[in-house]
Amino acid sequence: MNITKAQPKAQNSRLSATTTRAYTALGVGAVCIGFSAIFTKWAAVAGPVSAFYRVAIATAVLALPLILQAARGRSQEQQGRKITRVGMALTALAGLFFACDLALWNSSLLLTSAANATLLGNTSTLWVSIGATVLFRERLKNRF
């Protein structure tokens, strides 16, 4: 009987540790995003150059797990995931739009304050939802 009581407690502590790590990662991410505008403005380089290096460094860091996975001999097909041409094309298109967003945002840092550029950049969700409602007559869900 003691074993059954200890098991939920162990699961609870594991869940608590996972939750703590998740919130810590969220906090670190928020701090990094908060300082990115200031550091980008201090760099005083052209927006596309700054955007290129931000994406290049992230690509190098995020490619490491993929390389390790390939070195262990586990491919996407073995894991039951198939990469299609359409999926690759949509991924490339999303990357292109993200690169344009970064280049424009980094360029805007040279023209205005970091606060203005960040405010306008982070309210894009609001503008997209208003545009979808007005232009495409989409209905937003209650959860939105």
Side-chain angles (χ1 to χ4, degrees):
M1 196 152 144
N2 289 339
I3 293 172
T4 57
K5 287 184 179 179
Q7 192 174 18
K9 196 174 199 178
Q11 286 176 349
N12 244 358
S13 67
R14 243 184 285 149
L15 181 64
S16 176
T18 303
T19 303
T20 302
R21 281 195 312 259
Y23 279 119
T24 302
L26 181 67
V28 169
V31 168
C32 289
I33 288 172
F35 279 102
S36 70
I38 295 167
F39 290 145
T40 303
K41 192 167 179 74
W42 284 348
V45 296
V49 173
S50 178
F52 171 79
Y53 282 110
R54 286 180 69 178
V55 173
I57 292 168
T59 300
V61 170
L62 294 175
L64 290 176
L66 182 65
I67 292 168
L68 290 174
Q69 185 181 32
R72 292 183 187 140
R74 293 187 295 182
S75 66
Q76 294 292 329
E77 289 82 18
Q78 289 173 340
Q79 293 181 2
R81 300 180 199 141
K82 189 173 180 182
I83 301 172
T84 63
R85 287 181 190 248
V86 173
M88 288 299 287
L90 289 174
T91 302
L93 186 64
L96 180 66
F97 281 122
F98 180 62
C100 289
D101 174 58
L102 272 182
L104 291 172
W105 180 75
N106 289 344
S107 296
S108 73
L109 286 170
L110 298 175
L111 302 173
T112 186
S113 69
N116 282 341
T118 303
L119 176 69
L120 291 174
N122 288 329
T123 58
S124 62
T125 308
L126 175 67
W127 302 117
V128 168
S129 60
I130 290 172
T133 304
V134 172
L135 297 175
F136 303 118
R137 294 199 167 81
E138 288 186 20
R139 249 191 104 148
L140 300 177
K141 297 184 177 169
N142 291 336
R143 220 169 98 189
F144 180 79

